[in-house]
Amino acid sequence: MKPFHIFNSLTRAVEPFMPLDTSPTPTATFYSCGPTVYLPQHLGNMRAYVFVDTLRRALEFNGYTVRHVMNITDVGHMTSDEDAGEDKIEKTARAEGKSPLEVANFYIAQFKRDCAALNIALPIDAVPDAVAHPPQSALCRATDNIPAMIGVIEQIAAHGYAYTTPSGVYFDVEKWRGPSGMGRLSRQSLSEQHAGQRLEHSADKRSPHDFALWVLNQPHHMMQWDFPGIGRGYPGWHIECSAMSMRYLGETIDIHSGGLDHIPVHHENEIAQSESATGHQFVRYFVHNAFLTGMAGAKISKSAGRFPVLDDLVEEKIHPLAFRLLCLGAKYRSELAFSIDAVRAAEKNLNYLNEFVRCLQPRVIANAHDAAWAGAYEERFHEAMNNDLNTPQALAVALELVAAAYRQNDHRIWHTLRIFDMVLGLDLEGRIKEIAKGVFPPRINRLMTEREKARAAKDFKRSDELRAEIELSGYEVKDTKAGMVVMPKRVAP
RNA sequence: GGCGGCGUACCCAAGUGGUUAAGGGAGAGGUCUGCAAAACCUCGAUUCGUCGGUUCGAUUCCGACCGCCGCCUCCA
């Protein structure tokens, strides 16, 4: 089996993944750019988190212990330039008459709920003051890590790559780019960029490329902290990722993920900050996901005029995991054209897998060994996942496996399928548990009994009426050889 | 102006320098079924935006062109 391979934006090549830790049971460190919590995360955002989750699962599939950190941006992300714009969180807070903390908490809760619905496993919340023993993995908030940011800024300043002005502390890009080759990631030399051409920038900056590490003298900004020796203010956007990545995972990490849009500015700046502070490599593998497109034109009930969110799908009676499956149907580095029809098509696949699992005999599930022929599928699946996360192919293998089981009338593939699902995250096991419960509300039980009677009496008119009634209550009704099957529709999580 | 990407059947979407270009959805026909659903079987691109070039051979490499898109300003 080929080792895990991943496309590294630093080299623009698919490379074998070699973590820093070369022990027999290696750990991989993984930092993901997380949400800015001032609006609901739209489906494009969620695609990125499905990607992050899939990558984490693929690493674990390959035997790595993953230390995963995701940040939550709850301060410092401005609507335009660092010094000209408005803080996104505060803008929403003012609009809604809430405090920034309330806004952040509200959207964090929503984000977590959406991730849960998509079966995205987030790292546990970081305890704010666990300075002495930072956790191995963490979901961490920028506002809980201000001291760490100040520490990195001080390091940068100590190495001479920061300067302080009345409006803030800036990173000296001109000074840094010589030794660093800044622009490697985006393949853009600074002279080729038109930075500052289309927007006002602070007169304090020595160069329009410079960016704020710490912003000073913004009395209207609600969230402010003391920077000893510098003054009261708040951090620039990029510094949080450098600081939290280093704090929780170390000065050099294995993988750093984010959207393609982060390459030219955010990640270039992160590299500059981190490497000027520590003097050595910040990230070994940068991975970037492509966008979900076509959302603006997607005609979903409530989404007119904005990007659709997961709730819009639920409103259309589409299960969230159908969206996850849609994402898996395209490579993470390819744009994926979103449409309601595309999600519905994905939902068919989800139902197909669920239906197979539902029909499995308990003794097949309990059986410790799968049919011998399933092994070839597992190999193909692993191969696909290790080839730069080729989820479309892996998914095809899973579907082919199920089709082969049907065709050969040999259903002994549950363990293989469960292994696939540990990577795909479609919660097939949850489906089995759900079915095992088999408990229905009294009203549904009554309707079921009545319908069985009607069918036995060949009163099909009544039978069809009862089916319609049961379905209206959110259940599916199927007549099989073994009799009537009623199950909850998989809509709301 | 600069950087980057994409164009594969009605739709979504993999893939490869050379035997039949994955998989799914939709569609057509059939089996099964009280009906429906599910499942199964069969069919479906002589062709990979266009035109050139390299090659014994290109959808895959190179060039030009056309079309679409992202970024260079916040953005997954």
Side-chain angles (χ1 to χ4, degrees), chain A residues 187-227:
Chain A
R187 296 277 162 107
Q188 275 182 292
S189 68
L190 291 173
S191 56
E192 284 164 341
Q193 292 181 27
H194 288 202
Q197 245 188 242
R198 292 163 60 189
L199 51 91
E200 297 289 315
H201 61 270
S202 168
D204 288 345
K205 284 187 185 183
R206 290 179 190 166
S207 150
H209 301 298
D210 293 353
F211 54 90
L213 298 168
W214 190 262
V215 183
L216 291 166
N217 293 310
Q218 292 284 322
H220 297 299
H221 204 271
M222 295 163 157
M223 293 178 280
Q224 308 243 7
W225 294 263
D226 281 316
F227 188 147

Side-chain angles (χ1 to χ4, degrees), chain A residues 204-320:
Chain A
D204 288 345
K205 284 187 185 183
R206 290 179 190 166
S207 150
H209 301 298
D210 293 353
F211 54 90
L213 298 168
W214 190 262
V215 183
L216 291 166
N217 293 310
Q218 292 284 322
H220 297 299
H221 204 271
M222 295 163 157
M223 293 178 280
Q224 308 243 7
W225 294 263
D226 281 316
F227 188 147
I230 299 291
R232 207 163 165 72
Y234 58 93
W237 174 41
H238 314 294
I239 196 70
E240 63 171 90
C241 288
S242 294
M244 291 191 270
S245 175
M246 289 195 242
R247 176 180 172 198
Y248 292 105
L249 298 174
E251 294 185 346
T252 299
I253 64 168
D254 291 312
I255 303 176
H256 188 124
S257 75
L260 270 175
D261 52 318
H262 280 332
I263 293 175
V265 177
H266 185 50
H267 287 166
E268 286 283 11
N269 291 353
E270 270 185 50
I271 295 170
Q273 290 169 343
S274 306
E275 298 190 355
S276 65
T278 68
H280 47 250
Q281 187 171 21
F282 174 47
V283 173
R284 292 155 56 81
Y285 301 83
F286 258 107
V287 295
H288 294 100
N289 66 278
F291 280 14
L292 189 68
T293 62
M295 283 190 295
K299 292 181 186 65
I300 303 186
S301 52
K302 275 187 164 175
S303 72
R306 59 170 174 78
F307 281 178
V309 298
L310 202 58
D311 280 341
D312 292 320
L313 295 183
V314 172
E315 199 155 299
E316 291 290 320
K317 304 273 184 249
I318 293 170
H319 194 276

Side-chain angles (χ1 to χ4, degrees), chain A residues 144-212:
Chain A
D144 288 336
N145 287 274
I146 303 292
M149 297 188 214
I150 287 174
V152 176
I153 296 169
E154 282 173 338
Q155 272 182 281
I156 296 168
H159 292 159
Y161 294 109
Y163 58 92
T164 304
T165 74
S167 67
V169 181
Y170 293 98
F171 187 86
D172 193 337
V173 170
E174 294 293 336
K175 183 165 180 187
W176 172 250
R177 67 168 166 172
S180 74
M182 192 171 177
R184 260 177 327 185
L185 195 58
S186 61
R187 296 277 162 107
Q188 275 182 292
S189 68
L190 291 173
S191 56
E192 284 164 341
Q193 292 181 27
H194 288 202
Q197 245 188 242
R198 292 163 60 189
L199 51 91
E200 297 289 315
H201 61 270
S202 168
D204 288 345
K205 284 187 185 183
R206 290 179 190 166
S207 150
H209 301 298
D210 293 353
F211 54 90

